[in-house]
């Protein structure tokens, strides 16, 4: 609507309806237009659009807008930093109707010469386009996990399949997946190949396939698939070989420094994976750790840790309610958290600088804290801790005065604005926030959004060292789009004695389910129960937060 200069008041009414639906506890599915109009902020025309979208998947008004919009413009609208007004200028003045045309215009310098853009904006667009191109065809692990589970069940039902498992990067649970590899134990390769090719939602690449390998893709979600066949006797050996990264498989073992993969190939079969690793004089290494980073150092010293499990978590911190930009009320968030079996909830709505997300002014903070006190009496022994996600301002300070900061049980300090920093500025900004005695947890340290936006560059070692010095917890933001702190820095944090807090950054009750993905990436980094902050029991968490506050005063 903005792209086509629709009436400003009409646009505003649609945005208002979106906000009502997003932030209110209302359901719009299955309602007729008359019922929809009973929802505050939804008038007759919007009710008709919603009903059409719900019943037929589109609406006449949407089709009208799409009919006069080149399809490539919709892709251009996805580019970071380009809103409808700027896209409209590019379309009308430079006749840009696709990402390809936009890149050509940037490379020739035309965009920089266009009013309202300039060299800096042009360079930012180029970086965004390159980032999009580099991530084409990739998926978040979380987005394809269910599809792969269903596919595995289909394979299991095929006659002649004796065993099946994922291998490769998906089995190692990397946060971003380019292709999914499978290993199937069977003695009937030809019939299995035919059965796979007959499955719906698959498309075989016959040129690159062979009698022992099916290559192609899944159509929905569209992702490359490689399916390897092996004899049942070789299944365990092939599983290890096809799961480990190249660095894991080539790691030198023993006095003669033979690559691990050579030791595996010396035997025809293994009864289980433990037997295969035992032959190399090593304890079993979990799949998640087989990246060739640090696992062999731990294994040689017999220090492969017992990795964190979801059941070890006693509470969840960093969550949002309708006080800021959450979908569910404080009561709903707390009751559902309790229902899931957790002992406590940390509520940390946005602070006042995040006005775009309904950040809390001081009066609203006081109102929320009063409600928390009342709910704690009612829900005991379950407890809600009073927190805030305080914005780290450009100079590294937090956005409330000390007398407000000290009213919270804990504070998650995070950057949400002015993200275009170089490494030096971003690091200095975070270091100052870490030095603030009220900072309990450093939230999503790089601000990245996987496949959408690169994080701002930081000196990870300097940040982790500072957290160790000032006793600040580092968050592993469990939202699948973030997973930040990156798992590759977890080992260093643990070496420095810095504990990690796995938080869902939940903006609705269903967001608690993301804790699973925080645990997965924590395990990839070797995270243990004792180094995870929110494995503390309620009593331990109360003591920790109280002692920390007392030291400040």
């Amino acid at each position: 609507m903005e792209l086509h200069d629709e009436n400003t008041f009409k646009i505003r009414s649609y945005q208002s309806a979106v906000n009502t639906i997003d932030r209110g506890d209302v359901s719009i599915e299955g309602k007729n237009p008359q019922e929809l109009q009973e929802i505050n902020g939804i008038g007759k025309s919007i009710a008709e659009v919603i009903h059409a979208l719900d019943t037929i998947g589109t609406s006449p008004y949407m089709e009208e807008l799409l009919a006069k919009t080149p399809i490539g413009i919709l892709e251009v609208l996805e580019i970071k930093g380009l809103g409808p007004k700027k896209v409209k200028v590019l379309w009308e003045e430079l006749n840009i109707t696709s990402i390809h045309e936009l890149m050509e215009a940037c490379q020739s310098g035309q965009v920089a010469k266009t009013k309202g853009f300039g060299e800096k904006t042009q360079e930012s667009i180029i970086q965004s386009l390159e980032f999009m191109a580099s991530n084409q065809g990739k998926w978040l692990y979380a987005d394809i996990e269910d599809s792969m589970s269903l596919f595995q069940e289909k394979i299991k039902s095929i006659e002649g399949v004796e065993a099946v498992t994922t291998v490769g990067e998906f089995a190692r649970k990397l946060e971003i997946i380019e292709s999914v590899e499978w290993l199937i134990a069977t003695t009937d390769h030809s019939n299995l190949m035919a059965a796979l090719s007959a499955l719906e939602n698959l498309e075989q690449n016959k040129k690159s396939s062979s009698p022992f390998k099916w290559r192609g893709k899944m159509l929905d979600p569209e992702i490359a698939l490689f399916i390897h066949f092996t004899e049942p006797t070789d299944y365990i050996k092939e599983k290890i070989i096809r799961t480990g990264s190249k660095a894991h498989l080539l790691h030198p073992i023993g006095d003669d420094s033979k690559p691990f993969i050579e030791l595996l190939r010396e035997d025809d079969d293994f009864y289980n994976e433990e037997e295969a690793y035992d032959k190399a004089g090593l304890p079993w290494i979990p799949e998640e750790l087989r990246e060739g980073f640090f696992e062999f150092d731990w294994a040689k010293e017999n220090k492969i840790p017992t990795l964190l499990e979801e059941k070890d978590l006693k509470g969840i911190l960093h969550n949002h309610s309708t006080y800021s930009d959450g979908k569910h009320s404080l009561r709903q968030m707390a009751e559902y958290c309790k229902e899931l079996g957790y002992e406590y909830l940390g509520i940390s709505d946005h602070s006042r600088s995040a006005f775009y997300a309904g950040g809390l002014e001081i009066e609203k903070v006081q109102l929320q804290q009063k409600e928390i006190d009342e709910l704690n009496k009612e829900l005991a022994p379950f407890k809600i801790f009073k927190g805030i996600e305080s914005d780290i301002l450009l100079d590294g300070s937090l956005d409330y005065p000390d007398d407000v900061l000290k009213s919270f049980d804990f504070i998650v300090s995070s950057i949400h604005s002015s993200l275009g920093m170089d490494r030096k500025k971003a690091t200095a900004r975070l270091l100052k926030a870490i030095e603030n005695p009220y900072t309990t947890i450093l939230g999503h340290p790089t601000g990245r959004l996987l496949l959408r936006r690169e994080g701002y560059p930081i000196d990870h070692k300097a940040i982790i060292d500072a957290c160790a010095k000032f006793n600040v917890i580092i968050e592993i933001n469990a939202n699948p789009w973030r997973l930040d702190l990156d798992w590759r820095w977890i080992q260093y944090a643990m070496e420095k004695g810095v504990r990690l807090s796995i938080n869902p950054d939940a903006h609705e009750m269903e967001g608690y389910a993301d804790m699973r993905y925080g645990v997965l990436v924590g395990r990839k980094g070797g995270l243990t129960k004792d180094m995870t902050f929110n494995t503390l029991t309620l009593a331990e968490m109360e003591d920790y937060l109280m002692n920390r506050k007392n030291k400040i005063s």
Side-chain angles (χ1 to χ4, degrees), residues 9 53 61 92 108 116 190 213 269 283 300 381 391 399 432 460 493 503 537:
F9 295 104
L53 290 169
Y61 182 41
E92 292 183 344
S108 66
S190 58
K213 185 176 292 185
D269 58 0
K300 287 170 187 173
D391 264 35
D399 63 340
K432 185 172 179 183
H460 278 85
N503 297 323
T537 64

Side-chain angles (χ1 to χ4, degrees), residues 250-453:
L250 294 179
H251 190 88
I253 302 293
D255 296 334
D256 54 0
S257 296
K258 272 190 178 180
F260 179 47
I261 191 170
E262 282 191 26
L263 291 175
L264 290 172
R265 283 177 170 158
E266 286 176 359
D267 276 292
D268 290 334
D269 58 0
F270 295 103
Y271 181 72
N272 55 38
E273 290 194 2
E274 286 81 356
E275 183 185 340
Y277 279 91
D278 185 60
K279 184 191 174 184
L282 300 168
W284 177 73
I285 297 174
E287 290 180 341
E288 299 98 313
L289 298 183
R290 299 177 196 174
E291 295 288 352
F293 276 17
F294 53 81
E295 68 270 25
F296 285 104
D297 293 334
W298 283 358
K300 287 170 187 173
E301 297 174 15
N302 206 26
K303 290 182 179 178
I304 292 289
T306 300
L307 300 179
L308 176 73
E309 296 182 41
E310 272 190 89
K311 64 182 177 62
D312 296 327
L313 300 171
K314 303 300 181 187
I316 47 179
L317 307 166
H318 192 174
N319 303 282
H320 300 262
S321 72
T322 49
Y323 271 91
S324 63
D325 61 344
K327 182 178 179 180
H328 292 120
S329 69
L330 179 55
R331 173 182 286 277
Q332 288 173 309
M333 295 294 282
E335 288 180 340
Y336 188 55
C337 185
K338 182 181 181 181
E339 185 183 316
L340 292 174
Y342 291 106
E343 296 179 15
Y344 53 87
L345 168 71
I347 202 70
S348 45
D349 277 302
H350 286 289
S351 58
R352 61 183 182 179
S353 293
F355 56 88
Y356 49 85
L360 277 61
E361 292 295 342
I362 294 172
E363 296 77 14
K364 209 171 178 183
V365 168
Q366 295 167 342
L367 187 66
Q368 185 185 64
Q369 292 184 351
K370 183 180 178 183
E371 183 180 351
I372 289 173
D373 288 335
E374 293 168 354
L375 283 170
N376 279 338
K377 291 175 186 176
E378 182 183 336
L379 299 175
F382 181 86
K383 182 168 183 175
I384 306 168
F385 286 106
K386 300 168 184 173
I388 197 76
E389 186 179 17
S390 184
D391 264 35
I392 301 173
L393 303 178
L394 196 55
D395 66 353
S397 61
L398 303 184
D399 63 340
Y400 288 118
D402 286 357
D403 63 326
V404 175
L405 292 174
K406 70 182 180 182
S407 71
F408 297 106
D409 295 318
F410 74 99
I411 290 169
V412 180
S413 298
S414 307
I415 291 177
H416 291 106
S417 60
S418 302
L419 306 182
M421 301 170 286
D422 59 27
R423 190 168 185 258
K424 185 176 179 181
K425 286 182 180 178
T427 302
R429 186 175 176 183
L430 288 175
L431 288 176
K432 185 172 179 183
I434 291 165
E435 292 169 11
N436 190 308
Y438 290 102
T439 294
T440 318
I441 300 171
L442 179 63
H444 46 71
T446 72
R448 73 182 186 183
L449 293 176
L450 295 168
L451 301 181
R452 291 181 178 178
R453 178 180 78 204

Side-chain angles (χ1 to χ4, degrees), residues 6 85 112 123 193 307 390 470 504:
E6 291 289 311
K85 289 182 180 178
E123 184 57 35
M193 180 74 80
L307 300 179
S390 184
F470 293 99

